[in-house]
Amino acid sequence: MTRVLITGFEPFDGAEVNPSWEAVSLVAADRPAGLEITAVRLSCVFGTAREELRAAIEAVGPDLALGVGQAGGRPDITLERVAINVDDARVPDNAGHRPVDQPIVVGGPAAYFSTLPIKACVAALRTAGVPASVSQTAGTYVCNHVFYGLMHHIATELPTLRGGFVHVPFAPEQVVDRAAPSLPVALTAAAIRTILLTATATRTDLPLAAGATH
Ligand code: PCA
């Protein structure tokens, strides 16, 4: 049995839903075999979200921790490769804060890599018929903040915990009045399930080319 912590986010930037939490809660309700899943909804607030994640890790003691967030405008499921040590908010968070060029951890490394098999996850998703790719940036907003916080926690205190982050597209109901890509929440949930099962079963990542020129 693999103990898994998955997190989604509350809605932000004036939205009414956040597909990351909608999908994560579906995955937890579905109880995939072999996985003991705890789902936690994080605030979209710098600092607070990291503290909520830390408390959840302490409460659950997971083997695997996967953060999930919405990346509106992206057309596919993206496995994040790297978390960077900077907060630079395009819009205020849900507490009205808008940090610019602030380190997440003062004196911390510039970046951490995901320790999940991101290439194997992309391959498994594509095989399952779900559009997926590797992303080279998780942005500089609350998702990257939580991802960096997770990887810093792992690097400094919990070396056996495996962790990473996935961004998901808008849900269709968020884009009914504009030409923007979306993915049904049930498909996003199926994708998260596939990622968890692939990450559990895969210790050495595939050498799949998934780079980008920008
Ligand atoms: N997406 C935002 C924060 C919360 C969310 O779901 C981001 O990409 O940073």
Side-chain angles (χ1 to χ4, degrees), residues 149-164:
L150 168 65
M151 300 318 296
H152 186 71
H153 191 183
I154 290 173
T156 54
E157 295 175 50
L158 291 172
T160 59
L161 175 60
R162 303 164 73 218

Side-chain angles (χ1 to χ4, degrees), residues 5 24-25 27 32 45 48 56 78 104 118-120 130 137-138 140 162 165 195 201 204:
L5 173 66
V24 159
S25 51
V27 173
V45 176
T48 305
T78 47
I104 298 167
I118 55 172
K119 306 283 185 77
V130 182
T137 174
T140 54
R162 303 164 73 218
F165 200 94
I195 290 166
T204 307

Side-chain angles (χ1 to χ4, degrees), residues 9-10 12 18 20 44 68-71 138 140-144 165 167:
F9 278 97
E10 66 181 1
F12 67 103
N18 188 322
S20 68
C44 188
V68 184
Q70 166 191 302
T140 54
Y141 195 50
V142 183
C143 286
N144 174 73
F165 200 94
H167 265 119

Side-chain angles (χ1 to χ4, degrees), residues 35-108:
L35 304 180
E36 192 182 307
I37 296 187
T38 304
V40 171
R41 191 173 97 144
L42 301 178
S43 306
C44 188
V45 176
F46 287 100
T48 305
R50 249 185 94 193
E51 285 160 22
E52 291 168 347
L53 174 69
R54 194 182 178 87
I57 289 172
E58 268 159 29
V60 171
D63 305 303
L64 199 88
L66 180 71
V68 184
Q70 166 191 302
R74 286 193 189 172
D76 59 350
I77 302 287
T78 47
L79 280 288
E80 296 296 348
R81 189 196 291 266
V82 59
I84 61 174
N85 189 12
V86 67
D87 290 334
D88 190 353
R90 187 181 59 83
V91 292
D93 69 13
N94 285 355
H97 300 134
R98 195 176 171 191
V100 172
D101 297 349
Q102 297 292 313
I104 298 167
V105 175
V106 174

